[in-house]
Amino acid sequence: MPAVLPAALAGAPQRIDAHLVDYLLVAFYFVVVLGIGLIARRSVSSSLDFLLSGRSLPAWVTGLAFVSANLGATELLGQAANGAQFGEQAFHYYWIGAIPAMVFLALVMMPFYYGSKVRSVPEFLGRRFDAKTQRLQGVLFAVASVLLAGVNLYAMAIVVNALLGWPTWLAIVVAGVIVLAYTFLGGLSAAIYNEVLQFFVIVVTMVPITLVGLHRVGGWDGLVGRLTAQGSTEMLEPFPAQELTGIGSSIGSTIGVVLGLGFVTSFGYWTTNFTEVQRAFSARNASAAQRTPLIAAIPKALVALVIIIPGMVAAVLIPGIESLKQGLPSDVTYNDAVPMLLRELLPNGFLGVALAGLLAAFMAGMAANVSSFNTVFTYDLWQDWLRPGRDDAHYLRVGRAVTVIGTVLAIGTAFIAAGFTNIMDYIQTLFSFFNVPLFAVFVFGLFWKKLTGSGGFWGLVSGTLGAVTIFVLNQVGVLSLSGQGSSFLGGGVATVLAVLVGWVVSRGGTPKPEAELNGLVWSLTPASVRAVPREAGWYRSPAVLSVLVLALAVAGYVLFAVV
């Protein structure tokens, strides 16, 4: 999950001395990105083409786009910062905080999502509950999307300012215009194909940094030795992760990681966040849609190595960060780990590739937020609520217009994000507000047929308000939870309130007739309907892929327990 925003570097110390060849490589990358948008424009003739790629994309494309949409600026820079500060504890964001939820999404939820032929998560809520629940979630998601898009923009601007000296406002506007250009031209198809490209560019950036960095510190044994000499042995122990959670008790911290991150926050994010799920919605059939999160989970499990380990390398290789570990004054922060490693490890020429990789991460995250924002606004708020019954050409025009509006709003929220020096709590708090209550209501309604429309609506409202209340109490000092403790508690409160209030309200109401809930409730949907048609090949089996990705997550913990 996304985590930490780099702090503004006043005076831009430690700038990289980029040469002409580096700028040319970055410019070439921008040309390719815009070219993909122009090519994708040819296939856009309806609102479904623009907003959901006509449901025509193969599983490997949607799978890579699924994981790339998550590999935004806050992920790449923030998790490397977590690696520098917390070491192996940061692996929890991947192996506990992603993989189980992605498997659950594929095996349990995607058959209902895709089989219902809904165009968004709020639309599914509209069918399961009622219009007011759909509209509430549409508004909540729209707000969350522009806030998160703004975070990606601001993160990119700060890094470009630190590395190249561009003013923050200029970097924000330029990045926003580029993402707007290809998303406006080609819609979701352009965003997805660019996300596939961006995934490979990000990997090409981070693998050399990892390998060169490990070589510089004497390999893994050398890194372990230097961290031990620093007195940072807790960075070599994933559990109990007290530094990560801010929870003093080792048992409480472990519970916070497993339940707070691994269940409440993780399942809320990966299974109901339309920014991610939209990629699976664009797959060409139900089988491809089901495999999308499983295909994405494979690189998700592995990419942790080339994001967290560089952060750990920075903790011993970058003097300023090493000073932080020792509690000494420093002119850098943990959030500067990736920019400082670029300056320290990479020669000119390859530096241009690395800069393109960073920009790819920023644009992937923002494009994912903007493309999901325009879909939810156009379908759930405009077509189903504000302006129903218009021809499809009208909704295509609205989708393009909302893309522009979403980008402008993201530029504005980028400056709001500038007020936060550490985005970890900010991002995870947003998830506790917007994703966790939705997951609780969604799953409750999926497995309890008597949950009414009003029960779903008020469950969503109360869960959201509960999470907001915990955040406010922590801000004013009534609670004193540092790190992830506040968002974990907020997510737990949101879950309990959403389920409890939904149950109480539903006891006094009348549920939908069972005939209307076929395909929307587990017990009322025959197994033959829930079943997803299989495609030939063992490598296309959801069961095989699920076992593989869960084994990768377990193997990661075993590996680092041994080494």
Side-chain angles (χ1 to χ4, degrees), residues 95 99 297-299 301-302 546-558:
W95 298 333
I99 302 304
I298 297 173
L302 298 174
S546 297
V547 170
L548 172 61
V549 298
L550 289 171
L552 282 175
V554 173
Y557 283 114
V558 172

Side-chain angles (χ1 to χ4, degrees), residues 104-451:
F104 182 83
L105 169 63
L107 299 183
V108 177
M109 298 179 71
M110 277 314 303
F112 286 88
Y113 276 145
Y114 199 90
S116 65
K117 296 301 180 186
V118 297
R119 298 161 299 183
S120 68
V121 172
E123 186 174 345
F124 187 94
L125 293 183
R127 294 191 186 181
R128 172 58 184 88
F129 298 111
D130 53 25
K132 67 178 181 293
T133 308
Q134 175 183 2
R135 292 163 185 170
L136 172 63
Q137 179 54 31
V139 171
L140 291 175
F141 179 80
V143 173
S145 295
V146 296
L147 288 172
L148 292 171
V151 171
N152 276 283
L153 264 182
Y154 181 65
M156 190 226 67
I158 293 302
V159 171
V160 170
N161 172 270
L163 300 184
L164 304 179
W166 291 14
T168 300
W169 70 267
L170 177 62
I172 288 174
V173 172
V174 169
V177 169
I178 291 172
V179 173
L180 170 62
Y182 72 73
T183 308
F184 181 86
L185 289 171
L188 182 61
S189 291
I192 284 179
Y193 279 113
N194 267 311
E195 284 162 4
V196 173
L197 169 65
Q198 288 157 354
F199 171 78
F200 289 108
V201 174
I202 292 167
V203 170
V204 168
T205 298
M206 296 308 296
V207 168
I209 291 177
T210 305
L211 296 178
V212 175
L214 282 174
H215 176 74
R216 183 74 67 85
V217 298
W220 179 256
D221 289 340
L223 178 60
V224 170
R226 294 180 66 168
L227 286 172
T228 302
Q230 281 185 359
S232 301
T233 54
E234 72 281 352
M235 294 182 65
L236 303 170
E237 301 172 354
F239 287 102
Q242 290 169 272
E243 293 77 15
L244 180 69
T245 63
I247 299 174
S249 165
S250 59
I251 296 177
S253 181
T254 301
I255 293 174
V257 169
V258 175
L259 295 183
L261 174 61
F263 177 66
V264 172
T265 305
S266 169
F267 276 65
Y269 175 81
W270 288 102
T271 65
T272 61
N273 182 11
F274 187 57
T275 300
E276 301 294 336
V277 175
Q278 184 186 30
R279 274 70 196 146
F281 277 24
S282 65
R284 63 188 176 189
N285 56 42
S287 177
Q290 186 175 48
R291 294 198 310 275
T292 291
L294 298 175
I295 292 172
I298 297 173
K300 180 67 178 176
L302 298 174
V303 79
L305 300 174
V306 297
I307 294 182
I308 304 302
I309 291 177
M312 297 173 69
V313 169
V316 300
L317 194 61
I318 306 301
I321 294 180
E322 187 175 0
S323 297
L324 286 176
K325 299 298 296 181
Q326 298 172 355
L328 301 174
S330 176
D331 61 350
V332 300
T333 70
Y334 293 113
N335 306 306
D336 303 319
V338 170
M340 296 301 98
L341 285 175
L342 290 180
R343 183 184 65 85
E344 182 74 22
L345 301 177
L346 298 184
N348 290 103
F350 195 87
L351 176 59
V353 177
L355 292 177
L358 286 177
L359 295 173
F362 306 136
M363 292 192 295
M366 180 188 170
N369 292 128
V370 171
S371 61
S372 56
F373 168 79
N374 64 21
T375 301
V376 167
F377 184 92
T378 302
Y379 283 145
D380 294 288
L381 301 181
W382 194 261
Q383 184 182 54
D384 291 343
W385 184 15
L386 300 175
R387 293 291 186 273
R390 304 296 178 88
D391 59 31
D392 187 72
H394 170 79
Y395 298 116
L396 175 59
R397 291 193 298 272
V398 170
R400 292 190 188 278
V402 170
T403 302
V404 178
I405 294 170
T407 303
V408 173
L409 291 174
I411 291 174
T413 60
F415 290 99
I416 295 176
F420 293 82
T421 57
N422 186 326
I423 208 63
M424 176 187 291
D425 295 337
Y426 177 49
I427 291 292
Q428 299 298 336
T429 298
L430 289 180
F431 291 154
S432 72
F433 291 173
F434 299 113
N435 294 108
V436 174
L438 171 59
F439 174 71
V441 169
F442 187 103
V443 171
F444 194 23
L446 186 65
F447 291 104
W448 192 47
K449 64 183 180 181
K450 295 183 180 180
L451 186 61

Side-chain angles (χ1 to χ4, degrees), residues 475-500:
Q475 290 295 109
V476 300
V478 175
L479 299 174
S480 58
L481 295 169
S482 61
Q484 294 294 290
S486 174
S487 61
F488 293 165
L489 178 61
V493 169
T495 300
V496 172
L497 281 177
V499 172
L500 181 61

